[in-house]
Amino acid sequence: MIVCFAIQNVLLPTLISLYSNMGAPAPDPVFVLRGAESPVTAVTFLCVAEGQRENYIAAGTQNGKVLLWNLQIKSKVAEWEAHASTSIHWLYSESPDILWSQGRCDSVKAWNIQSSSPHLIATYPLMDYLGFSSSHIIQVNNSTKLLSLPGPSQEGVTVWDVDKKFKISTLMPLDAKAYGSMMQPRWIKMEDIITLAVLYESGRITLWDWANSKILSQHQISENPMCITFDELSQTGIIGTASEKIFVFKIDSDLNISIMKEFSITNAGVSSCVIRPDGKLFAMGGWDSRIRLFSSKKCKPLAVLIYHKKTVECIAYSKGDIEDLGGGFILAAGSSDKSVSLWNIFN
Ligand SMILES: *[C@@H]1O[C@H](CO)[C@@H](O)[C@H](O)[C@H]1NC(C)=O
Ligand SMILES: *[C@@H]1O[C@H](CO)[C@@H](O)[C@H](O)[C@H]1NC(C)=O
Ligand SMILES: *[C@@H]1O[C@H](CO)[C@@H](O)[C@H](O)[C@H]1NC(C)=O
């Protein structure tokens, strides 16, 4: 705890030397998952059934495989080819039994993972989209679940009603070329309103009225945005970019997006960002192979985690406490170096 407190007030580049000067050990991962044959491009913790003791984590790889580890016994319990020869850009756990995956230039698939040989239960095609965007799901109410996925073409987003298998809308800016490639869609819930935030290569961040394919509001940032995350409680979010710049934004009740803060990290390129479920911290995975942690309130740098040898492609927080790894929220990072590191830090 003393270490955590002391490092809150120092600048990012001095953090690592500070750790060594104080004689405090630099934090290490609590565990590292190996066994992937190719870069790890997506990671998610699975939902836990009531009364279930084991926690599981899933990783997707550049060669289209999904690997499942049991974190109690720390072993791989399943591996299958989810998307033939194409990288997996998104994994999402809907329930302890259902895992979603998205393959690049392929499709979004839902898997029943109850047995050790998971089986496909639904497929939603991606149309002519060649980028690296992920998809996103939101449970609107008991009868409706919405899926947003990349395409058609490089600039579009398609919205599906998952259970009805009905394509609700296609979101395409009128002047699509000026927006550039679609980078990532993200559902945003504001009290009773659900809108879809979409990042574009040109730096535009738009909020869509997904039911009517209309832009509600938008904002322009100076950089190419790579990833977005949002905390419903504080109604603020983080955007990581292809440069050193990070943006903190808020959405007000008129659905107006505004930038609250802008700051820089040492090296350019953030591939993935996530807010811890309690809203207190956020974490970013960098092209420079580092993981950076910040306080949500003041965006103070808290730690730079150095373990991976190549780009950190994806990061995720556990949905709750994981006792088998020391308790508290666990942060997972998947890397091009083919490993997944697990961290128990600032709990
Ligand atoms: C659930 O949400 C959908 C989409 O907003 C809406 O059309 C539907 O009426 C809602 N259903 C109920 C039971 O509230
Ligand atoms: C959804 O279903 C659950 C359990 O059936 C019920 O407790 C809850 O009130 C429902 N929620 C809504 C928004 O209808
Ligand atoms: C939206 O937010 C921006 C930046 O804070 C502000 O300049 C603008 O007036 C706001 N627009 C509306 C419609 O509230």
Side-chain angles (χ1 to χ4, degrees):
M1 277 320 281
I2 293 163
V3 173
C4 306
F5 185 73
I7 65 169
Q8 277 188 11
N9 297 312
V10 299
L11 293 169
L12 202 54
T14 61
L15 266 174
I16 300 133
S17 59
L18 185 90
Y19 267 123
S20 45
N21 288 348
M22 291 187 354
D28 285 324
V30 277
F31 202 74
V32 177
L33 302 167
R34 298 178 198 283
E37 301 160 354
S38 81
V40 176
T41 46
V43 68
T44 194
F45 288 86
L46 301 199
C47 296
V48 178
E50 215 166 304
Q52 174 189 321
R53 203 179 124 56
E54 303 86 13
N55 280 275
Y56 293 84
I57 188 169
T61 65
Q62 201 174 67
N63 66 354
K65 300 260 174 69
V66 174
L67 287 74
L68 218 56
W69 286 274
N70 176 330
L71 295 176
Q72 186 177 29
I73 55 170
K74 300 190 176 71
S75 320
K76 190 172 74 183
V77 290
E79 176 171 356
W80 72 100
E81 183 166 76
H83 298 273
S85 318
T86 184
S87 51
I88 295 180
H89 285 295
W90 178 67
L91 287 174
Y92 168 78
S93 169
E94 180 187 322
S95 66
D97 300 336
I98 296 176
L99 181 70
W100 291 78
S101 65
Q102 179 211 318
R104 183 168 179 239
C105 318
D106 182 19
S107 58
V108 168
K109 293 178 177 175
W111 302 89
N112 183 317
I113 53 169
Q114 262 177 320
S115 75
S116 61
S117 49
H119 63 272
L120 184 62
I121 50 179
T123 302
Y124 302 80
L126 258 61
M127 310 273 281
D128 312 320
Y129 176 84
L130 305 173
F132 294 89
S133 171
S134 52
S135 301
H136 201 216
I137 280 184
I138 191 167
Q139 184 84 45
V140 180
N141 51 39
N142 281 347
S143 50
T144 308
K145 194 172 357 174
L146 301 173
L147 165 69
S148 56
L149 56 77
S153 79
Q154 211 51 19
E155 297 86 12
V157 177
T158 304
V159 176
W160 288 83
D161 180 313
V162 169
D163 298 322
K164 296 197 181 91
K165 283 214 102 187
F166 171 72
K167 201 190 286 182
I168 299 176
S169 57
T170 298
L171 313 180
M172 180 72 78
L174 280 177
D175 187 7
K177 292 292 170 230
Y179 281 69
S181 289
M182 198 282 292
M183 304 303 292
Q184 198 181 330
R186 174 94 173 47
W187 291 109
I188 287 189
K189 190 166 188 211
M190 306 266 306
E191 293 175 15
D192 289 339
I193 304 164
I194 287 168
T195 77
L196 189 70
V198 182
L199 304 179
Y200 297 90
E201 194 182 4
S202 60
R204 281 197 224 189
I205 304 143
T206 62
L207 286 186
W208 284 88
D209 168 353
W210 50 273
N212 299 302
S213 308
K214 282 198 190 114
I215 292 176
L216 293 166
S217 68
Q218 56 185 323
H219 191 86
Q220 171 86 45
I221 59 168
S222 54
E223 310 296 326
N224 176 358
M226 297 301 296
C227 53
I228 180 172
T229 184
F230 189 73
D231 175 37
E232 260 94 37
L233 262 180
S234 60
Q235 306 200 328
T236 58
I238 313 291
I239 292 169
T241 72
S243 80
E244 293 84 2
K245 284 197 181 148
I246 311 297
F247 296 86
V248 182
F249 67 96
K250 76 170 185 347
I251 299 177
D252 62 26
S253 49
D254 302 337
L255 301 178
N256 187 16
I257 311 168
S258 55
I259 302 296
M260 294 164 72
K261 195 173 278 187
E262 187 183 320
F263 63 97
S264 292
I265 54 172
T266 328
N267 300 316
V270 173
S271 43
S272 179
C273 53
V274 62
I275 298 174
R276 196 162 82 172
D278 65 1
K280 289 186 178 161
L281 308 180
F282 62 92
M284 297 188 297
W287 294 354
D288 65 356
S289 79
R290 295 174 183 190
I291 303 157
R292 293 180 168 81
L293 286 147
F294 297 85
S295 72
S296 295
K297 262 200 186 141
K298 298 201 165 153
C299 302
K300 278 205 177 130
L302 299 178
V304 180
L305 307 178
I306 301 179
Y307 170 78
H308 290 289
K309 295 183 179 62
K310 292 186 178 167
T311 296
V312 173
E313 301 276 0
C314 48
I315 54 174
Y317 260 113
S318 64
K319 294 159 181 44
D321 209 57
I322 300 192
E323 274 174 43
D324 291 314
L325 295 171
F329 293 109
I330 301 298
L331 178 68
S335 164
S336 301
D337 69 13
K338 307 179 189 173
S339 67
V340 177
S341 58
L342 300 174
W343 304 81
N344 185 341
I345 186 167
F346 301 122
N347 272 307

